[in-house]
Amino acid sequence: MSKEKNLSTAFRKFLDEDVVQASFESCITKGDGSFVPVEYSLSKQGTGKEVTILAVVRDITERKHIEEMLRQDNEELELRVAQRTGQLAELNKALLEEIEERRQVERELRKRKERFGTLFENMAQGVFYQNRDGRMADVNDSALKFFGLTRQEFIDRDSFSPHWKVISENGLELSPEEHPSMLALRTGKPVRDKIAGVLNPTTGDVVWLVINALPEFEEGESEPSQVCVTLHDITGIKQMERELRSARDNLEKRVEERTLELQKTHSQLLHAEKLSAIGSLSASIAHEFNNPLQSVMTVMKGIYLHAALHQDEKVLMDMSLKECERMRDLIRNLQDFNRPTSGHMSQVDLHAAMDSILIFGKYRYKRKNILIKKQYAPALPIVRAVADQIKQVFLNLLNNAVDGCAEAGGGTITIGTSVRDSGSVQITVQDTGKGIPPEIIPRIFEPFFTTKPAVKGTGLGLSVCSDIVKSHGGLLTVKSEPGLGTTFTVVLPIQGNREEGRR
Ligand SMILES: Nc1ncnc2c1ncn2[C@@H]1O[C@H](COP(=O)(O)OP(=O)(O)OP(=O)(O)O)[C@@H](O)[C@H]1O
Ligand SMILES: [Mg+2]
């Protein structure tokens, strides 16, 4: 469509429309063939068929140019806005991601903090923090329990508080400067495994702790800003240590006592061994003596019977033979005594058994100023017993009586026998010696108990006697009064023990 047609169409449309003003753009072709953009501003005047149109045409080349420039600027701006928006969207996305990451870290940190908080509060180890100036900063429940303080009491204190009673292992009190926390704060170096006791004012007990103090520094600072102190309770271990030490001391004391006892027993055993060796030696000497004695006696009897002797010579010969017979009996007794126990029950004449022992000591009694009195029952039943064992009992009791009298400078030993009841007999060996102090009576039947010097007594005598009498189903008892004398009583069943032959 030509420009003119366009223009007339626009005018026609303006006329037809029910408006009084309108404007539109178009262009005009200049003489040189170029186009000029113009704006038509129309206004209606008059009514009905008398309508006049006033048209004002304005060159809008400049405006169009500016519009074009604006449009281009706009386009460029839009492009840049689009680019910037893209960048911003990228940045935004990165930011969101970072925020999310931070949130995640924060959540993690919170979780850790909670975990550490729970750990701090509930750990068995005590922990507290102390500031550079010595004031308490934070503390957990275990530390408060060790110190016997409330949180407030603890926080209100510093190391210089006079209420602290801290002692080292040697029992000396530590000054505030020596407290591990203060040492770490002053030197900036950790204090490790220091053992100290702290008085708990609530219980009044000392709580023993292994203390570690770790100084903490702010960034770039050379002096510690605070110290973290951990406390490990070793009161139980200390207590055990003390008990162990006292048990060890006790044990050492007991070992010492036991060693002394054993040494004593050892020397007594050595003595017993020596006596037993002498016993065997005397047995063999007795044996060696017996044969020549028999020969001498045979010769002497021959001479006594067949030689022509004067009456005086016969008397002397008779005396010599009697002495030889006494020697023979002594030797036989010695051999009997040294022979190992047969353990054989036989019919034993207790009077004869006692006499065979008494014969040994005849000169000894005289030498020690001791008189032997016999108060034998007129008809003592024969007893079923192990003869050599019964003799051993009599010998031990007689030896003790002799020693008791000898220590009193002499005395009398009375040997009594009697029928106790229908089933048993009783033999008493009573002396007028020094007697036995009542406090040692309960011990005299113990093996190796003796009050005699080591070379004299082994302390086995009464313990062996008691064993022998018991094995015969009998009883050995003692009565003594210091300064007056002692009586030992042996009760033996006439029919012997049912468990005969045990020894
Ligand atoms: N008749 C007594 N008079 C005084 N004390 C006696 C008498 N009999 C025993 N004792 C005391 O009893 C202790 C123990 O006696 P026991 O016969 O067991 O041993 P021992 O005589 O000392 O030595 P061992 O008999 O072995 O040579 C004696 O050391 C002594 O102190
Ligand atoms: Mg004795």
Side-chain angles (χ1 to χ4, degrees):
M1 213 181 337
S2 72
K3 287 199 174 64
E4 287 73 23
K5 205 167 181 186
N6 268 347
L7 199 63
S8 66
T9 312
F11 272 77
R12 174 77 38 218
K13 199 173 162 230
F14 176 63
L15 272 177
D16 291 346
E17 281 176 356
D18 190 18
V19 293
V20 286
Q21 280 187 332
S23 66
F24 62 90
E25 287 178 9
S26 183
C27 51
I28 294 170
T29 313
K30 280 188 12 186
D32 59 1
S34 61
F35 294 107
V36 178
V38 290
E39 183 190 58
Y40 289 90
S41 299
L42 307 180
S43 58
K44 279 182 202 167
Q45 283 176 356
T47 50
K49 290 196 180 187
E50 294 290 310
V51 175
T52 317
I53 295 174
L54 178 66
V56 177
V57 182
R58 194 160 24 127
D59 183 349
I60 57 169
T61 309
E62 187 67 16
R63 200 178 91 192
K64 278 288 168 192
H65 183 62
I66 289 170
E67 267 180 13
E68 180 57 24
M69 271 172 46
L70 275 175
R71 193 191 52 77
Q72 277 179 12
D73 275 0
N74 203 33
E75 265 177 20
E76 203 175 308
L77 208 63
E78 270 177 14
L79 191 72
R80 279 173 56 199
V81 165
Q83 279 175 348
R84 195 79 190 112
T85 308
Q87 281 174 351
L88 280 177
E90 285 286 309
L91 278 172
N92 203 27
K93 199 174 148 216
L95 200 66
L96 282 175
E97 278 173 7
E98 202 181 312
I99 288 172
E100 183 50 34
E101 222 168 84
R102 270 170 194 259
R103 274 202 193 127
Q104 184 70 25
V105 171
E106 251 172 45
R107 269 200 298 274
E108 199 59 42
L109 272 175
R110 203 173 315 121
K111 220 190 276 173
R112 276 181 166 218
K113 206 172 152 196
E114 276 167 17
R115 206 179 295 149
F116 279 121
T118 318
L119 193 70
F120 179 75
E121 281 310 330
N122 297 302
M123 64 201 289
Q125 273 201 336
V127 183
F128 69 88
Y129 288 88
Q130 211 173 338
N131 291 334
R132 188 186 301 191
D133 56 7
R135 292 197 67 77
M136 304 303 175
D138 199 1
V139 63
N140 74 352
D141 286 349
S142 293
L144 291 174
K145 206 174 86 199
F146 297 157
F147 294 139
L149 297 173
T150 64
R151 190 168 293 273
Q152 197 52 51
E153 282 169 339
F154 182 80
I155 297 291
D156 286 346
R157 280 192 186 186
D158 59 19
S159 277
F160 301 97
S161 161
H163 301 293
W164 287 118
K165 288 273 171 289
V166 185
I167 52 170
S168 66
E169 276 192 290
N170 57 19
L172 295 178
E173 193 168 337
L174 293 181
S175 68
E177 290 78 15
E178 291 171 317
H179 289 187
S181 59
M182 294 309 284
L183 241 131
L185 281 171
R186 197 167 63 248
T187 60
K189 291 196 180 108
V191 175
R192 305 241 184 242
D193 300 329
K194 169 91 186 161
I195 295 177
V198 180
L199 181 76
N200 179 322
T202 316
T203 60
D205 294 331
V206 170
V207 180
W208 284 97
L209 302 166
V210 175
I211 305 175
N212 279 280
L214 207 70
E216 292 179 355
F217 299 83
E218 293 287 341
E219 216 175 312
E221 290 278 324
S222 61
E223 276 186 19
S225 59
Q226 62 173 3
V227 62
C228 170
V229 184
T230 59
L231 313 162
H232 182 61
D233 183 6
I234 55 159
T235 313
I237 296 172
K238 274 265 172 197
Q239 174 70 20
M240 263 162 60
E241 210 178 88
R242 262 200 304 280
E243 280 167 14
L244 268 177
R245 202 174 306 128
S246 101
R248 200 192 55 205
D249 290 350
N250 266 347
L251 207 68
E252 268 173 19
K253 210 170 120 208
R254 278 176 54 200
V255 166
E256 225 168 83
E257 283 170 7
R258 202 85 190 97
T259 311
L260 277 177
E261 267 174 40
L262 281 175
Q263 275 169 354
K264 207 170 145 205
T265 308
H266 181 66
S267 68
Q268 283 166 336
L269 275 175
L270 280 181
H271 184 59
E273 185 69 22
K274 208 160 78 187
L275 290 184
S276 133
I278 291 171
S280 345
L281 193 68
S282 64
S284 70
I285 290 172
H287 179 73
E288 292 300 325
F289 273 41
N290 196 38
N291 290 345
L293 184 68
Q294 289 299 336
S295 314
V296 171
M297 279 175 77
T298 314
V299 172
M300 281 174 74
K301 270 184 194 158
I303 295 171
Y304 183 76
L305 289 174
H306 306 296
L309 298 171
H310 288 292
Q311 190 54 33
D312 304 355
E313 289 166 337
K314 274 199 168 183
V315 171
L316 281 174
M317 207 60 170
D318 193 38
M319 270 171 64
S320 304
L321 266 171
K322 285 223 166 73
E323 285 304 299
C324 280
E325 273 162 14
R326 207 159 68 83
M327 273 168 76
R328 185 197 59 200
D329 289 349
L330 269 173
I331 288 170
R332 196 169 295 150
N333 274 335
L334 205 60
Q335 281 176 325
D336 276 359
F337 190 70
N338 278 304
R339 200 167 292 131
T341 178
S342 58
H344 231 80
M345 290 284 202
S346 58
Q347 298 300 108
V348 179
D349 177 348
L350 295 177
H351 290 164
M354 183 62 89
D355 289 344
S356 74
I357 300 297
L358 286 172
I359 203 169
F360 274 127
K362 218 169 168 183
Y363 294 105
R364 194 163 144 241
Y365 307 143
K366 207 182 236 172
R367 209 175 55 245
K368 300 204 171 194
N369 204 16
I370 294 166
L371 184 71
I372 302 285
K373 269 197 198 166
K374 289 194 212 172
Q375 288 179 352
Y376 285 177
L380 194 71
I382 298 290
V383 164
R384 210 171 139 67
V386 181
D388 55 86
Q389 291 181 0
I390 294 300
K391 281 187 194 172
Q392 198 178 344
V393 173
F394 291 166
L395 180 70
N396 282 331
L397 295 182
L398 273 172
N399 280 346
N400 282 351
V402 169
D403 289 341
C405 286
E407 279 191 48
T412 308
I413 298 174
T414 311
I415 296 150
T417 60
S418 60
V419 177
R420 219 169 107 93
D421 50 50
S422 59
S424 59
V425 292
Q426 149 177 319
I427 305 100
T428 52
V429 179
Q430 183 187 9
D431 66 67
T432 58
K434 60 163 188 167
I436 308 172
E439 64 274 14
I440 68 163
I441 290 223
R443 302 198 56 201
I444 58 172
F445 294 101
E446 285 175 16
F448 299 114
F449 176 80
T450 181
T451 56
K452 295 172 191 170
V455 281
K456 200 156 191 312
T458 60
L460 283 171
L462 285 178
S463 129
V464 170
C465 288
S466 164
D467 278 0
I468 290 175
V469 174
K470 271 188 209 152
S471 78
H472 278 78
L475 202 67
L476 175 63
T477 53
V478 62
K479 267 196 187 138
S480 185
E481 265 194 65
L484 289 179
T486 308
T487 307
F488 279 93
T489 305
V490 181
V491 175
L492 286 174
I494 296 168
Q495 287 311 315
N497 188 13
R498 288 207 183 106
E499 294 176 54
E500 59 187 47
R502 226 184 56 192
R503 280 176 63 92

